């Protein structure tokens, strides 16, 4: 199979490429990535000389580049490229609309001309926010209610992807996944940011009272879910993906403090994020029952793997903390 991956130099995209080339060494991957602050070719060092891997630096909004790559007849476009950090979207939403909405439209329009299978990577944030103790979870039929510029731009892209299925019959699938963590995550995101701070004996800043709850999935399990949907997913369908692992931010902070032998004086409570969604939770029964996927790494195992990775790869993240 030939894959055109967008955003493959970012956190999840690079983990996906490493996973895919290990599992399917006969497959060919073209990685189109603009290398924004979040893109890092160091993540892909182990495959850069692989004859079945090609990196192309370019913008998904650039129709010319996208058309040239689609001329290479990929069997599937796996679309990760996005601006992905909520806090940045609150400061400046423009580039979020450009990349996440217009970029997705350019890819869809180009894919349509050759009827190329299109898998879109999205987020659970499009569904809005749940109450802390209401027992509800997001699922495929949950109405969209995005509340940050980031989640609104991702919601727009999901709608466009579905519109290309209904209007043009483009063979699409979508995954809406909860928060990922693991190796190669840019140290502006909660878990690597806290690890980096604690390794430098600095406090961890916690929004509000730290009560916001997220579901967490180890990144390789996300790659496996995308694999399952690409191989076996029903065309036109959306699959919610989650780790069955809801944690309040304060629980994560406390777990990390324990790992680094620090007391709670290392928590610094800071002013809450504007419009901060309270709780996200995912019901992943559809992908579990239909495609046989389930998370394989528990939160405790995943956190150990992640902490070890950041300890062993200090040179990787130290350069990036200057950019965040
Ligand atoms: N990180 C999460 O927890 C999470 C959860 C669910 C869904 N997602 C989605 O998964 C995808 C990947 O997320 P991530 O955390 O790996 O993001 P990331 O920010 O780490 O990586 C994004 C990548 O896209 C590239 N990119 C940005 N703009 C581009 C453009 N215009 N053209 C080409 N490449 C461009 C960047 O250079 C970078 O390599 C995103 O679509 C995101 O919405 C992320």
């Amino acid at each position: 199979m030939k894959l055109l991956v967008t955003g493959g130099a970012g956190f999840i995209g690079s983990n996906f490429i490493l996973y895919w080339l290990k599992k399917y060494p006969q497959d060919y991957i073209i990685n189109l990535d603009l290398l924004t602050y979040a893109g890092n070719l160091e993540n892909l060092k182990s495959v850069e000389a692989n004859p079945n891997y090609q990196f192309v630096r370019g913008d998904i909004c650039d129709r010319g580049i996208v058309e040239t790559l689609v001329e290479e007849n990929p069997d599937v476009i796996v679309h990760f490229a996005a601006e992905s950090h909520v806090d940045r979207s609150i400061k400046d939403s423009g580039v979020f609309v450009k990349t996440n909405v217009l970029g997705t439209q350019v890819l869809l329009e180009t894919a349509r001309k050759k009827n190329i299978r299109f898998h879109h990577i999205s987020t659970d944030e499009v569904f809005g926010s749940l109450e802390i103790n209401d027992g509800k979870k997001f699922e495929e039929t949950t109405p969209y209610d995005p509340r940050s510029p980031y989640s609104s731009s991702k919601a727009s892209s999901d709608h466009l992807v579905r519109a290309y299925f209904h209007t043009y019959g483009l063979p699409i699938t979508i995954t809406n996944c909860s928060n990922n963590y693991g190796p190669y995550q840019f140290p502006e995101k909660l878990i690597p940011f806290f690890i980096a701070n604690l390794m430098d004996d600095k406090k961890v800043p916690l929004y509000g009272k730290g009560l916001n709850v997220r579901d967490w999935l180890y990144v390789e399990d996300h790659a496996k879910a995308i694999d399952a949907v690409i191989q076996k997913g029903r065309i036109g369908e959306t699959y919610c993906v989650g780790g069955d692992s809801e944690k309040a931010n304060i629980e994560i902070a406390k777990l990390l403090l324990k790992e680094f032998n620090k007391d709670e004086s290392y928590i610094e409570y800071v002013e809450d994020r504007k419009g901060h969604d309270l709780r996200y939770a995912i019901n992943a029964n559809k992908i579990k029952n239909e495609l046989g996927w389930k998370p394989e790494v528990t939160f405790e195992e995943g956190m150990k793997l992640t902490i070890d990775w950041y300890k062993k790869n200090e040179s990787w993240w130290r350069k990036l903390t200057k950019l965040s």
Side-chain angles (χ1 to χ4, degrees):
M1 185 161 16
K2 189 187 264 191
L3 293 81
L4 171 55
V5 171
T6 72
F11 164 47
I12 307 174
S14 59
N15 275 286
F16 174 82
I17 290 176
L18 297 175
Y19 159 85
W20 194 279
L21 286 175
K22 196 167 166 201
K23 182 160 179 208
Y24 306 106
Q26 72 288 356
D27 283 358
Y28 189 90
I29 294 185
I30 305 168
N31 173 16
L32 171 64
D33 196 298
L34 184 59
L35 297 184
T36 66
Y37 80 96
N40 187 347
L41 290 181
E42 267 190 51
N43 306 5
L44 296 157
K45 265 231 157 330
S46 62
V47 295
E48 72 183 7
N50 184 331
N52 283 0
Y53 168 75
Q54 183 194 351
F55 173 69
V56 178
R57 185 172 192 179
D59 191 337
I60 56 166
C61 302
D62 179 342
R63 190 174 298 264
I65 280 194
V66 174
E67 277 173 358
T68 307
L69 296 179
V70 163
E71 279 309 310
E72 300 199 22
N73 293 318
D75 299 291
V76 56
I77 296 175
V78 191
H79 178 32
F80 295 90
E83 287 294 331
S84 69
H85 192 42
V86 176
D87 288 338
R88 286 180 188 258
S89 82
I90 292 169
K91 287 193 187 117
D92 179 8
S93 58
V95 69
F96 284 73
V97 173
K98 181 169 180 280
T99 293
N100 301 0
V101 185
L102 291 177
T104 302
Q105 188 269 338
V106 168
L107 289 168
L108 287 165
E109 192 52 27
T110 313
R112 170 171 95 82
K113 302 214 169 100
K114 291 197 160 223
N115 201 36
I116 295 172
R117 171 90 157 78
F118 192 95
H119 181 70
H120 180 57
I121 320 301
S122 193
T123 164
D124 60 354
E125 303 194 27
V126 298
F127 300 120
S129 182
L130 298 165
E131 293 304 320
I132 289 289
N133 289 318
D134 66 3
K136 290 188 187 152
K137 294 189 174 193
F138 298 138
E139 51 195 24
E140 290 77 8
T141 51
T142 304
Y144 274 41
D145 183 21
R147 296 148 53 105
S148 75
Y150 163 66
S151 55
S152 311
S153 67
K154 290 298 291 186
S156 309
S157 66
D158 292 11
H159 290 320
L160 275 171
V161 174
R162 288 213 187 92
Y164 270 70
F165 169 69
H166 290 294
T167 310
Y168 306 109
L170 187 71
I172 65 99
T173 41
I174 300 176
T175 38
N176 290 91
C177 187
S178 60
N179 277 24
N180 285 212
Y181 66 101
Y184 301 116
Q185 186 165 31
F186 195 88
E188 66 184 351
K189 301 279 169 67
L190 187 107
I191 289 176
F193 181 50
F194 282 12
I195 294 174
N197 276 15
L198 292 172
M199 283 180 70
D200 278 346
D201 198 35
K202 289 199 268 196
K203 292 188 179 190
V204 297
L206 211 48
Y207 280 134
K209 296 191 170 110
L211 299 180
N212 303 68
V213 172
R214 301 292 181 260
D215 176 71
W216 292 91
L217 181 71
Y218 190 64
V219 63
E220 196 177 40
D221 277 331
H222 190 185
K224 288 178 181 169
I226 296 166
D227 182 2
V229 174
I230 290 173
Q231 309 284 357
K232 302 182 278 188
R234 280 185 292 136
I235 296 302
E237 293 288 319
T238 288
Y239 294 87
C240 282
V241 181
D244 294 329
S245 188
E246 282 184 52
K247 304 281 170 206
N249 290 344
I250 192 155
E251 287 179 76
I252 293 181
K254 285 184 180 170
L255 183 151
L256 288 171
L257 291 178
K258 201 164 157 218
E259 286 293 328
F260 285 92
N261 294 317
K262 312 266 189 211
D263 62 33
E264 289 185 26
S265 67
Y266 274 80
I267 295 180
E268 184 183 6
Y269 293 93
V270 298
E271 189 190 337
D272 209 353
R273 171 190 277 168
K274 287 186 174 60
H276 203 172
D277 290 342
L278 202 50
R279 173 174 162 255
Y280 305 144
I282 285 270
N283 171 351
N285 284 344
K286 180 175 171 181
I287 186 169
K288 287 179 183 169
N289 296 338
E290 269 188 28
L291 308 183
W293 172 89
K294 62 175 178 356
E296 292 172 22
V297 178
T298 65
F299 185 71
E300 290 67 30
E301 289 162 354
M303 284 298 278
K304 283 226 173 317
L305 292 169
T306 305
I307 294 165
D308 278 358
W309 190 88
Y310 280 86
K311 281 184 178 165
K312 287 192 188 120
N313 292 277
E314 205 173 323
S315 62
W316 181 89
W317 59 260
R318 211 162 266 296
K319 290 175 219 151
L320 306 177
T321 47
K322 296 188 185 84
L323 304 173
S324 57

